[in-house]
Amino acid sequence: MKITDAQRRAHLAARHFADSPTAEDVVSSLLALHATDPATVYLSVLARARSLSIEDVRTAMYDRRNLVRLMAMRRSLFVVAHDDVPIIHAAASVGVARTMRARLIKEVSTLPTEPVIEDVPGWLDAVEKQAEDALRAAGSATGAELSAAAPLLRTALLPTTDKAYDVKRYVTSQVLSMMAAEGRMVRVEPRGAWTSRRHSWAPIDQWWPEGIPHLDEAESRRELARRWLDVFAPATLDDVQWWTGWNKTQTRAAVAGLDTVEVELDAGDGIMLADTVMQKGGTGVMLLPALDPTPMGWKHRNWYLGEHKAPLFDSYGNIGPTIWSDGRIVGGWAVTPAGEVVTELFEEVGSGVEAIAAEAGRITDLLDESAVVPSFPTPLEKRLRGKK
């Protein structure tokens, strides 16, 4: 079966840009929202749920607790549905946690530390216990608050060179992120405004009284691959592997257990679930935030990105805010310090200009003068943000 880029774009627009009534529906339709920047979660939802407010998104995450922030695929932060956490935890977070634990042990064993550590396993057991005890006593706490209550979290890794990047580093963030990836604590509402990156932590049993259910890793990878293909296919195996962060063996094994069909894409050989129905007729115009799950969904992006990579991506492969028309990227946008959305088009969009201006105005109103600065600013975003 041959599927053209135009067909893929039409399917993308219908599948990813449908208007949704709730934040939970948006997350379910996209599988996972990138959450490195807290603002991305809100703006990804509000782009697709046009009747909602910032407070509606916050309520879904922290009052109803239907959405959860966790470290998973590619060691990145995502927001996923509460009911999907066990699968994603087993399929991705557990592997990430193993890598993080091994790295921490290696660094503490080989680098100079303050204080000096002679028994690394004993130290690690003690620091984890201190952190858990402090968190249970507090109920919820920031990393800074936990490090004040658990002195071993202030253990420092010391520099070994005179390089500018080689600086003294406390293990606080590494230890807490590792323990969360292992399912022992959970990220809860940040302190401050909705754009704040000051994450707080809570004991895992506040959200799962019996802990996150333990599922088989291989079976969970297969289910995650199925869910990803449902949202992002037709796609290539490279796309699956890149998004999940698995190795080739894990990726092929996960996909092999699914009912898929091979398709011919302009980008090469692809696959999709056997029951996929190619759609069309989605929303014509969309303004998506930095690191939105749609532009970050595939490794191979030419079919919707075209020649617009240079102004929209940073040097690490992170995408900035994008303007979409009929399933392809046609421009970018940014938020000024005054909270105003400013846009720039790369190509003609005809009558779409008015729709883009209206959407920029809608987002400006939702921001209510809040400034939004991505963690990974891109060339166009930086230039537009400095315009006013």
Side-chain angles (χ1 to χ4, degrees), residues 21-37:
T22 69
E24 290 91 340
D25 288 329
V26 172
V27 175
S28 177
S29 71
L30 296 169
L31 181 55
L33 304 182
H34 281 260
T36 302
D37 284 337

Side-chain angles (χ1 to χ4, degrees), residues 21-229:
T22 69
E24 290 91 340
D25 288 329
V26 172
V27 175
S28 177
S29 71
L30 296 169
L31 181 55
L33 304 182
H34 281 260
T36 302
D37 284 337
T40 293
V41 177
Y42 288 84
L43 295 175
S44 290
V45 170
L46 296 174
R48 299 169 173 90
R50 302 187 180 200
S51 65
L52 299 187
S53 67
I54 287 171
E55 178 60 22
D56 291 325
V57 183
R58 191 207 69 80
T59 298
M61 286 194 286
Y62 303 120
D63 290 347
R64 294 197 295 270
R65 297 186 178 183
N66 289 338
L67 306 175
V68 183
R69 180 181 279 105
L70 79 166
M71 184 174 287
M73 292 70 68
R74 304 189 314 280
R75 199 180 169 183
S76 295
L77 284 176
F78 291 86
V79 161
V80 304
H82 183 281
D83 290 347
D84 287 339
V85 167
I87 290 169
I88 293 174
H89 178 254
S93 301
V94 168
V96 167
R98 281 196 295 263
T99 300
M100 295 176 70
R101 179 170 287 273
R103 178 181 178 182
L104 177 61
I105 291 172
K106 180 179 179 180
E107 287 187 334
V108 174
S109 300
T110 59
L111 295 177
T113 62
E114 184 182 79
V116 175
I117 299 171
E118 296 181 353
D119 175 13
V120 174
W123 167 84
L124 189 51
D125 287 343
V127 70
E128 290 174 293
K129 185 177 186 307
Q130 274 194 7
E132 285 185 328
D133 290 347
L135 187 56
R136 291 193 179 281
S140 68
T142 64
E145 290 168 343
L146 287 176
S147 68
L152 289 177
L153 283 173
R154 298 196 298 274
T155 301
L157 303 172
L158 304 179
T160 58
T161 71
D162 58 0
K163 303 293 185 182
Y165 59 81
D166 190 5
V167 297
K168 180 178 180 178
R169 295 179 290 123
Y170 293 101
V171 302
T172 306
S173 179
Q174 278 181 272
V175 171
L176 298 179
S177 295
M178 177 193 73
M179 294 175 67
E182 291 174 339
R184 300 161 66 184
M185 56 179 62
V186 62
R187 293 170 177 82
V188 294
E189 187 167 12
R191 304 287 175 84
W194 63 278
T195 56
S196 172
R197 298 180 176 91
R198 293 184 62 208
H199 296 299
S200 295
W201 303 90
I204 198 67
D205 55 18
Q206 286 190 9
W207 288 51
W208 286 270
E210 304 300 324
I212 297 174
H214 293 284
L215 303 181
D216 179 78
E217 287 187 45
E219 291 180 3
S220 296
R221 283 195 291 267
R222 184 161 52 251
E223 176 59 16
L224 183 58
R226 186 193 68 77
R227 292 285 305 279
W228 186 91
L229 288 169

Side-chain angles (χ1 to χ4, degrees), residues 1-11 234 263-267 278 303:
M1 183 188 301
K2 169 69 175 180
I3 297 178
T4 66
D5 285 350
Q7 289 174 309
R8 292 183 78 186
R9 289 192 291 267
H11 183 70
V263 294
E264 181 184 349
L265 305 175
D266 290 342
M278 295 297 292
W303 58 280

